[in-house]
Amino acid sequence: MDSLDFGLFSPKAPLSKLVIQSLPIVWIGFLSLWPALLSQFLQMLWCVPILEDETVVSRLLPSPDVRCGSSDHLPSAAVAICGLLGWCVGIPIALAVRLVSLEDRQTPENYRKYGYFIQGYEPQYWWWDILIKRADIGAMMVITYTSIVPDSEAKLMLFPVLSGLQLAMACWIKPFSNDQAEILDVLEVSLAAIRFLLFSSVGALLILNPSAGTASCLATMLFVALLTACVYFILHVVAQLLRDASLNPEKPPEGFSKPIMKIVGRQMHFAVCAGILNEEN
């Protein structure tokens, strides 16, 4: 690792070797672009029925001047279908197949290459982010950006169902590592519960149609719940940084590359070191 540039590239390596060594970054780039491309591809197929001269015509919602199934729409539809199959479905499955083919995913070499996708998970649940989370995002986007559910209110009613399924799976499987009293699983379940509460409350408002005062009270409760979840998450992040600084008092916590974060890291490091010195005195 000390002899590699950025932990990936061999010094003065030939171009062919650099291409192979760049594959971990390529995988990260593919999955980083995955949600944006998925939404764009789905919108290229998002057709809605429109009444025109007592005739229902299916038109492309992002470009209503394009009639679905016409010669103007077929090229973009073909691109969208190829993109959905090749990119949005093929990339996660290809990465999963690649990880399955490894004899030991926890070796230093394999972990150096693919640790971005499996770090923090139990070894048997390495597929959680690659498959389950992608399937969850994909289902939400399919409902949002297609006419598979034509009614907008029905779309909002399905979101609590998907959120509840994700919450149940997170509670049942608990995919994250059990370090530090399973705090990662607690955070995952807490945030999934907030998501379920948010969509359920929106669905309840649509069905019950309460008064303005009741809706304002419910909105305030939701805002407090979201704020509490954010504060809870931030507190655990800060606590982890302070813990890392206390375990390595001779150097600041890693991960502070930006100037502002460096200042924050130095201040946290200084506070921890000062506390250690006070205890020693």
Side-chain angles (χ1 to χ4, degrees):
M1 287 291 294
D2 295 336
S3 63
L4 299 176
D5 296 334
F6 303 105
L8 291 172
F9 307 107
S10 301
K12 299 181 180 179
L15 180 60
S16 58
K17 189 174 182 180
L18 287 176
V19 171
I20 296 175
Q21 292 175 339
S22 300
L23 287 179
I25 300 177
V26 173
W27 284 118
I28 295 173
F30 282 164
L31 292 188
S32 297
L33 295 173
W34 188 86
L37 290 176
L38 175 60
S39 64
Q40 294 298 320
F41 287 142
L42 289 175
Q43 290 182 57
M44 295 168 68
L45 300 173
W46 192 359
C47 296
V48 295
I50 299 177
L51 184 62
E52 297 180 0
D53 298 330
E54 299 182 356
T55 303
V56 177
V57 178
S58 181
R59 292 193 175 274
L60 192 65
L61 183 60
S63 301
D65 56 322
V66 178
R67 186 169 180 172
C68 294
S70 65
S71 58
D72 294 333
H73 182 231
L74 289 179
S76 62
V79 171
I81 293 174
C82 293
L84 289 172
L85 295 177
W87 187 288
C88 299
V89 176
I91 292 298
I93 292 178
L95 179 58
V97 170
R98 173 59 183 151
L99 291 174
V100 167
S101 65
L102 298 177
E103 294 182 0
D104 186 1
R105 287 177 291 273
Q106 304 300 320
T107 61
E109 179 65 17
N110 290 332
Y111 203 79
R112 179 180 65 85
K113 293 180 179 179
Y114 304 103
Y116 178 86
F117 308 103
I118 62 177
Q119 185 177 12
Y121 295 100
E122 292 289 329
Q124 66 272 27
Y125 299 128
W126 57 268
W127 39 262
W128 180 263
D129 179 68
I130 300 172
L131 299 180
I132 301 301
K133 300 295 285 186
R134 303 290 158 183
D136 178 39
I137 297 172
M140 296 286 286
M141 287 192 174
V142 166
I143 293 175
T144 303
Y145 295 115
T146 66
S147 296
I148 190 172
V149 180
D151 188 62
S152 299
E153 294 184 356
K155 291 177 184 285
L156 292 175
M157 294 305 300
L158 280 178
F159 290 156
V161 176
L162 295 177
S163 302
L165 290 175
Q166 187 67 20
L167 174 60
M169 292 183 64
C171 294
W172 177 39
I173 296 178
K174 295 182 179 179
F176 292 95
S177 59
N178 298 327
D179 299 338
Q180 303 181 35
E182 300 183 358
I183 189 60
L184 292 177
D185 285 320
V186 173
L187 285 173
E188 174 75 5
V189 172
S190 300
L191 296 176
I194 292 296
R195 170 188 166 186
F196 173 72
L197 178 62
L198 176 63
F199 285 121
S200 300
S201 301
V202 173
L205 290 175
L206 290 174
I207 295 174
L208 301 177
N209 193 19
S211 61
T214 304
S216 299
C217 292
L218 184 58
T220 303
M221 294 172 60
L222 287 175
F223 176 75
V224 172
L226 290 172
L227 183 62
T228 302
C230 293
V231 171
Y232 182 69
F233 177 77
I234 293 173
L235 285 176
H236 278 292
V237 171
V238 173
Q240 180 62 41
L241 293 174
L242 291 173
R243 179 178 178 274
D244 292 340
S246 65
L247 294 177
N248 301 283
E250 295 184 358
K251 63 178 182 179
E254 297 180 357
F256 294 95
S257 57
K258 297 182 179 180
I260 296 178
M261 296 304 294
K262 286 183 178 180
I263 296 174
V264 175
R266 291 193 186 100
Q267 295 299 324
M268 293 170 57
H269 173 67
F270 176 77
V272 172
C273 293
I276 294 175
L277 291 175
N278 289 333
E279 290 179 0
E280 292 178 350
N281 295 333

